[in-house]
Amino acid sequence: MATLPGQLSPTPRLLLGPGPSDAHPRVLSVMSTPLLGHLDPQFLEIMTETQTMLREVFRTKNQLTFPVSATGMAGMETCLVNLIEPGDPVTVCCIGYFGTRMIDVAGRTGCNLTVKHKPWGDVFTLDELRDILKETRPKVLALVHAETSTGALQDISEVGKLCHEYDALLVTDCVTSLGCTPVELDAWEVDAAFSCSQKGLSCPPGMSPISFSPRAVDKLKSRKTKVQSWYLDLTSIQSYWGGDRAYHHTAPITMIYALREGLRLVLEEGLEARWARHVRNHKALKAGLEALGLEYIAAEAHRLPQLNAVKIPAGIDDVAGRKKLLTEFGIEIGGGLGDFKGKAWRIGIMGYNSRPICVLSVLAAMEHVLRAFGAKVTPGSGVAAAEAIYAA
Ligand SMILES: *Cc1c(COP(=O)(O)O)cnc(C)c1O
């Protein structure tokens, strides 16, 4: 090698996109803790503590609750491949990009798949879901709770009960909701849910918390075919995270340290206080964005506080605008996905980043960018509107 790359030292960024969000400093700090062996009694204790806290954060008593050793998509795949067998009737209700991912993952299992769509930005009503269950009679119904591509919150609080009336299991994507907005697996009768470490839990990407209800575990036990993925097969991973601690794969020790600290932070703050913090900062950001002339994609009635998806104003270039934010202000926001590519900006204020300093910084920087591209924006109007909310 002619020249060795220099010691790693990237310019710091403020990560206000759809994820990863910034890790909490306490999370980063525990990540430099020396490794333990994955069967060390001390590590087994750390695993148990992590699972106990995860159950609290998911608001569940589900025994089968642990973090899959990979990102959120692996959680999606774990839930779907373990609960679906070839030929099973399965229904995916899609409201955005991550719904299309569920269609793709479920479609690969050889199930008998039905897909129901609503326009992106919209959500399903309970009546619509009842009609879909009546018509399609699925064994598994899959839905995204917090659709990060559109900023829409799909109410699932009564969907589990409804699914059970029709003998279906409910699988929900809680990747962007966990740690930001209410998730109540037991009260909502959710059968399988998955999340990630890098959004509401303020950890780096790399872990995907999942939880299976007793109903889902029964379905798993009564399978007639092997789970199609070796790595994600819960019938064998369970023996590491469950009772006998049998080797399955080497646990990502450092990531579990991180997740343990992330969960400690959530419970220290309290779930209700954390949800309220996300709403408060969202309200300030919303006031500011609207003062800058930006319009939300999702209707106010079903809008995510932690992920603010707005339409890019006419005449402003998506890529150039985001590049200016990144290079001049060190702020990362997200562009649009799928149908919204080039048309939306997505501003995430999740977990550790749901703070006034993040809200005010991104508003000031966005105002600068919008004006640089010729938008008619009153100087200081975004920050002032947000401050008025904080002052109220
Ligand atoms: C981010 C995200 C995922 C994917 O998670 P990765 O950690 O990127 O694998 C899945 N679903 C939703 C709703 C997401 O926002």
Side-chain angles (χ1 to χ4, degrees):
M1 196 182 290
T3 51
L4 196 61
Q7 186 170 349
L8 192 67
S9 149
T11 304
R13 306 289 197 208
L14 181 57
L15 301 178
L16 301 181
S21 282
D22 285 282
H24 193 285
R26 261 170 57 188
V27 167
L28 293 176
S29 152
V30 299
M31 291 184 78
S32 57
T33 306
L35 296 183
L36 290 167
H38 66 110
L39 295 172
D40 185 308
Q42 292 186 90
F43 188 68
L44 298 181
E45 179 64 26
I46 288 168
M47 288 167 68
T48 304
E49 290 164 350
T50 305
Q51 283 177 289
T52 304
M53 289 191 287
L54 200 49
R55 287 189 193 101
E56 278 200 43
V57 171
F58 265 133
R59 290 273 169 96
T60 184
K61 295 197 164 54
N62 291 340
Q63 195 52 36
L64 185 52
T65 301
F66 74 95
V68 171
S69 305
T71 68
M73 281 308 299
M76 181 189 291
E77 194 145 4
T78 301
C79 290
L80 294 172
V81 301
N82 280 274
L83 293 178
I84 301 175
E85 289 190 83
D88 281 355
V90 172
T91 302
V92 177
C93 295
C94 177
I95 54 169
Y97 181 81
F98 290 99
T100 67
R101 289 270 178 101
M102 283 182 139
I103 295 167
D104 194 356
V105 175
R108 292 170 191 229
T109 61
C111 68
N112 178 7
L113 182 66
T114 308
V115 178
K116 296 290 180 183
H117 290 280
K118 290 277 287 203
W120 286 31
D122 210 341
V123 292
F124 287 90
T125 65
L126 203 58
D127 285 339
E128 287 168 338
L129 292 171
R130 184 179 297 107
D131 290 343
I132 289 169
L133 282 163
K134 267 188 204 159
E135 178 205 326
T136 63
R137 296 284 169 169
K139 286 195 176 171
V140 170
L141 181 96
L143 266 179
V144 175
H145 182 213
E147 182 47 84
T148 322
S149 64
T150 65
L153 176 68
Q154 169 69 58
D155 182 2
I156 53 166
S157 59
E158 292 173 69
V159 180
K161 190 161 174 284
L162 188 65
C163 283
H164 297 150
E165 285 169 23
Y166 291 88
D167 248 345
L169 296 175
L170 174 63
V171 173
T172 56
D173 177 330
C174 298
V175 173
T176 298
S177 50
L178 194 70
C180 300
T181 40
V183 172
E184 304 265 3
L185 294 191
D186 287 0
W188 296 352
E189 298 189 26
V190 174
D191 294 298
F194 56 95
S195 189
C196 75
S197 45
Q198 77 273 16
K199 299 184 188 181
L201 300 180
S202 313
C203 297
M207 296 251 80
S208 178
I210 62 156
S211 186
F212 272 46
S213 74
R215 270 193 187 84
V217 172
D218 285 346
K219 164 82 194 188
L220 184 63
K221 283 187 184 150
S222 66
R223 287 182 68 101
K224 293 179 188 66
T225 54
K226 275 193 177 182
V227 175
Q228 73 184 83
S229 160
W230 184 91
Y231 195 75
L232 303 177
D233 182 349
L234 291 178
T235 61
S236 45
I237 306 179
Q238 261 193 99
S239 50
Y240 179 54
W241 281 96
D244 38 349
R245 306 297 194 183
Y247 167 67
H248 179 269
H249 62 274
T250 308
I253 310 294
T254 305
M255 276 311 300
I256 291 171
Y257 292 164
L259 182 61
R260 180 181 178 279
E261 192 62 20
L263 295 169
R264 260 166 49 76
L265 282 157
V266 173
L267 295 173
E268 218 174 83
E269 179 175 12
L271 283 166
E272 276 81 6
R274 194 173 177 95
W275 299 332
R277 170 163 64 83
H278 280 81
V279 169
R280 180 166 178 261
N281 289 311
H282 161 72
K283 283 186 176 156
L285 178 64
K286 168 181 173 278
L289 291 174
E290 287 175 350
L292 296 180
L294 296 162
E295 195 191 322
Y296 277 79
I297 288 167
E300 185 147 13
H302 55 255
R303 199 175 280 164
L304 289 170
Q306 67 275 39
L307 196 285
N308 296 259
V310 292
K311 295 173 192 162
I312 301 172
I316 309 278
D317 183 79
D318 170 29
V319 175
R322 282 188 289 126
K323 186 174 171 205
K324 203 167 168 63
L325 273 179
L326 189 68
T327 52
E328 291 181 23
F329 299 92
I331 296 178
E332 179 182 277
I333 64 165
L337 285 178
D339 292 3
F340 288 125
K341 193 169 163 50
K343 297 179 190 152
W345 279 338
R346 294 181 300 148
I347 303 150
I349 41 171
M350 304 192 266
Y352 176 57
N353 279 355
S354 174
R355 283 177 292 150
I357 190 174
C358 299
V359 170
L360 299 175
S361 305
V362 74
L363 287 171
M366 283 187 83
E367 178 191 313
H368 176 89
V369 168
L370 290 170
R371 288 172 60 207
F373 285 99
K376 295 219 169 4
V377 174
T378 314
S381 56
V383 167
E387 278 180 332
I389 298 288
Y390 285 128

